[in-house]
Amino acid sequence: MSRAPRLLAVFAHPDDESLACGGTLARLAQAGVEVSLVCATRGEAGSINPALGIPRTALGDVRESELRDAARVLGVHEVVVLGHRDGMLSWIDPARVEIDLERVFDRLSPDAVLTFGADGLYWHPDHVAIAARTATVVSGRAERQPVALYEVTLPAGAMARLVEAVRAATDDETISPWGLEAEAFGKGALPPTLVVDVSGQIDRKLRALACHRSQLGPSNPLAHLSRDLALAHLAVEHFHLAPCSPRRHGLMDALAR
């Protein structure tokens, strides 16, 4: 009996998966793909929703628990948390991260892999680092275990439009994505080679995002998303086939909009 196709998503922090490609992960899982997720850190250096009163020392445990909750919502088969120090992925010896990823690849034998592009969505150093480490592992295995590597991208201006829509809906000009400039999202990204309609999974994507409640302070636009706003701004996900990818794979290409 042939096995189900396998997809591995590799990201840096809890919540990366839900925002960047939660709809695609859910859509693949619903189609019978065995979806697994690697998170390089536990997100312990991230922002804390002040309403929850979480001490900094407990944030790693909280965010890992939220990640596993979100993964269940999305239909993810397995979550692997590498436990590298949040905020330090660009400073850690690359070989350490690559060895960890090699072990996951050896055990799970994915057919396709998702990660960030070289721009890390908004040039977050951890995102850029995990994208580079993943690309190195995929390239190094090309002859013995070729897998398709797809990189999540975001159109320039997409986050800015979402923020403006939420500000208009809430009449709150303090809304901003994690205190970052919304214009940084998608700046310098490669154009997509694959556009995926996830409108049918928007409720699941919203539930997954809501699992990451420790991140959703009052100024975070994701804390104020109505279903209509989500359909208008988060119902399409973008990817490009990585320049180093040794192949394409039908499990992703079949999702083309």
Side-chain angles (χ1 to χ4, degrees):
M1 182 181 296
S2 61
R3 66 170 176 81
R6 296 175 181 173
L7 178 127
L8 180 64
V10 183
F11 293 111
H13 311 109
D15 79 359
D16 291 343
E17 78 301 325
S18 297
L19 176 61
C21 59
T24 298
L25 297 183
R27 187 170 165 184
L28 288 168
Q30 284 182 314
V33 176
E34 188 175 293
V35 177
S36 298
L37 170 65
V38 169
C39 191
T41 79
R42 302 174 77 224
E44 70 275 8
S47 59
I48 303 177
N49 180 351
L52 301 182
I54 301 168
R56 173 65 62 182
T57 54
L59 186 59
D61 289 338
V62 170
R63 293 201 67 195
E64 182 174 341
S65 178
E66 292 173 343
L67 172 67
R68 296 185 184 280
D69 289 344
R72 280 190 287 272
V73 169
L74 296 174
V76 171
H77 174 75
E78 180 177 347
V79 176
V80 179
V81 179
L82 301 182
H84 292 290
R85 187 175 171 187
D86 188 10
M88 295 298 292
L89 287 180
S90 61
W91 299 96
I92 295 170
D93 180 0
R96 286 178 53 197
V97 181
E98 289 162 13
I99 287 170
D100 286 344
L101 291 176
E102 288 276 7
R103 289 171 177 157
V104 176
F105 275 62
D106 285 341
R107 183 169 62 82
L108 297 181
S109 298
D111 301 300
V113 177
L114 301 183
T115 190
F116 293 114
D119 65 301
L121 283 191
Y122 54 94
W123 302 101
H124 190 302
D126 279 358
H127 295 184
V128 172
I130 197 63
R133 303 291 81 78
T134 304
T136 296
V137 170
V138 168
S139 295
R141 302 170 69 90
E143 291 188 7
R144 58 191 168 96
Q145 188 192 26
V147 300
L149 179 61
Y150 290 83
E151 298 174 340
V152 178
T153 186
L154 192 67
M159 180 59 75
R161 289 188 291 273
L162 171 60
V163 169
E164 285 305 312
V166 173
R167 286 177 177 174
T170 60
D171 195 27
D172 184 352
E173 289 299 315
T174 70
I175 297 294
S176 68
W178 299 277
L180 301 167
E181 292 291 334
E183 292 76 10
F185 287 75
K187 187 175 183 179
L190 293 175
T193 58
L194 175 64
V195 179
V196 179
D197 181 350
V198 298
S199 56
Q201 291 73 37
I202 201 66
D203 293 318
R204 193 169 287 195
K205 181 170 180 172
L206 278 171
R207 293 202 309 273
L209 286 167
C211 288
H212 296 286
R213 58 189 65 86
S214 67
Q215 292 285 293
L216 300 179
S219 65
N220 192 308
L222 302 182
H224 304 278
L225 279 181
S226 65
R227 189 174 190 273
D228 285 345
L229 281 175
L231 281 170
H233 296 278
L234 296 179
V236 178
E237 294 174 349
H238 300 78
F239 306 88
H240 59 258
L241 187 70
C244 69
S245 182
R247 60 183 295 196
R248 304 183 71 89
H249 198 282
L251 72 86
M252 285 296 293
D253 290 345
L255 300 178
R257 192 179 181 191

